[in-house]
């Protein structure tokens, strides 16, 4: 069974700083998704990465899929309080396998 | 479009009581899912459905039952609630592209259940 490890579990930084969170697996991902979950809400899909080495950008968020497709990272530039939330990665097999998430707090 | 809606938003049950959580989607999606989310454990799949009248077990199905009598609704039942079922429950749906699963899941806002 594929397990996804996300790190760090918790991150609290000041507005304007940059940050990177990670999603790692012991086995190869077929594809990987990143979701953001705000308090009291369900997760919302941010991006799907499919090809090893792929980089996708969504405004200030940059998503990278490792060449070997066993890891992925999310980099946020100039973080804003609106980026606060739980960031989840999910591996696509016949269903989604979820990591436990990184809880991100951006302080004004 | 309302998307995916869940009722109720909050519920407190006593051990042994039963209840049904309702999920409704207005996007004509084929696939529907029930997850539970516990601190530090991410989302775990309870049951899912690939179409009206069909259901299947997920990762943690014990103590739960589901039904999908109509395409737009997916019900999750707890026949005899236990404190271990205290959790936040999320319903999700997804669509097909050319007969295949699209991977993208749309989530409801969740139901916070406490079993005392």
């Amino acid at each position: 069974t594929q397990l996804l490890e996300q790190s760090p579990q918790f991150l609290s930084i000041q507005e304007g700083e940059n940050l990177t969170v990670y999603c790692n697996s012991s086995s190869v991902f077929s594809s990987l998704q990143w979701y953001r979950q705000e308090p009291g809400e369900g997760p919302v899909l941010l991006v799907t990465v499919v090809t090893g080495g792929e980089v996708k950008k969504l405004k200030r968020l940059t998503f990278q899929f490792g060449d070997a497709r066993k890891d992925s990272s999310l980099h946020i530039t100039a973080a804003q309080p609106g980026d606060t939330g739980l960031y989840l990665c999910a591996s696509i097999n016949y269903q989604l396998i979820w990591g436990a998430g990184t809880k991100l707090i951006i302080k004004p | 479009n309302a998307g995916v809606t869940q009722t109720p938003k909050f519920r407190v049950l006593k051990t042994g009581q039963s209840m049904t959580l309702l999920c409704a989607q207005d996007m004509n999606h084929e696939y529907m899912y029930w997850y539970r989310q516990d601190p530090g454990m991410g989302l775990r799949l309870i049951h899912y459905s690939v179409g009206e009248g069909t259901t299947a077990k997920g990762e943690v199905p014990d103590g739960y039952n589901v039904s999908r009598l109509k395409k737009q609704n997916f019900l999750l039942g707890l026949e005899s609630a236990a404190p271990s079922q205290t959790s936040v429950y999320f319903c999700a749906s997804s669509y097909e592209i050319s007969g295949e699963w699209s991977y993208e899941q749309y989530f409801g806002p969740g139901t916070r259940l406490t079993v005392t």
Side-chain angles (χ1 to χ4, degrees), chain B residues 66-103:
Chain B
V66 289
S67 65
R68 189 152 178 219
L69 299 179
K70 294 183 178 181
K71 185 177 183 178
Q72 64 268 32
N73 296 335
F74 197 27
L75 279 63
L76 178 70
L78 287 72
E79 290 187 345
S80 179
S84 61
Q85 294 177 304
T86 294
S87 188
V88 182
Y89 291 85
F90 286 98
C91 176
S93 69
S94 59
Y95 56 93
E96 287 183 330
I97 297 178
S98 301
E100 294 192 359
W101 182 37
S102 68
Y103 305 150

Side-chain angles (χ1 to χ4, degrees), chain A residues 52-67:
Chain A
E54 184 175 4
V55 176
K56 285 191 173 180
K57 292 192 175 185
L58 187 66
K59 296 183 180 179
R60 294 175 294 99
L61 277 61
T62 302
F63 303 86
Q64 188 156 5
F65 201 14
D67 290 340

Side-chain angles (χ1 to χ4, degrees), chain B residues 45-73:
Chain B
L45 183 65
I46 303 171
H47 287 278
Y48 65 99
S49 169
V50 299
E52 181 180 317
T54 70
T55 63
K57 294 180 180 180
E59 180 186 356
V60 289
D62 293 342
Y64 306 95
N65 57 77
V66 289
S67 65
R68 189 152 178 219
L69 299 179
K70 294 183 178 181
K71 185 177 183 178
Q72 64 268 32
N73 296 335

Side-chain angles (χ1 to χ4, degrees), chain A:
Chain A
T1 303
Q2 185 174 34
L3 295 176
L4 300 187
E5 291 190 6
Q6 292 191 244
S7 61
Q9 289 185 306
F10 179 79
L11 185 59
S12 178
I13 63 172
Q14 292 294 136
E15 181 177 2
E17 294 183 4
N18 300 332
L19 67 107
T20 303
V21 298
Y22 302 91
C23 177
N24 295 289
S25 173
S26 57
S27 53
V28 174
F29 298 124
S30 53
S31 304
L32 187 85
Q33 294 182 325
W34 284 94
Y35 287 75
R36 178 168 64 207
Q37 183 179 15
E38 298 186 13
E41 301 291 334
V44 175
L45 180 66
L46 296 174
V47 75
T48 302
V49 286
V50 179
T51 306
E54 184 175 4
V55 176
K56 285 191 173 180
K57 292 192 175 185
L58 187 66
K59 296 183 180 179
R60 294 175 294 99
L61 277 61
T62 302
F63 303 86
Q64 188 156 5
F65 201 14
D67 290 340
R69 292 162 54 207
K70 296 176 71 173
D71 59 274
S72 181
S73 64
L74 160 59
H75 180 79
I76 301 179
T77 303
Q80 299 178 1
D83 296 326
T84 291
L86 179 68
Y87 288 81
L88 296 161
C89 64
S91 170
I92 299 168
N93 289 314
Y94 67 97
Q95 294 164 6
L96 293 183
I97 298 172
W98 296 83
T102 293
K103 185 172 184 180
L104 177 62
I105 295 176
I106 310 299
K107 296 177 285 187

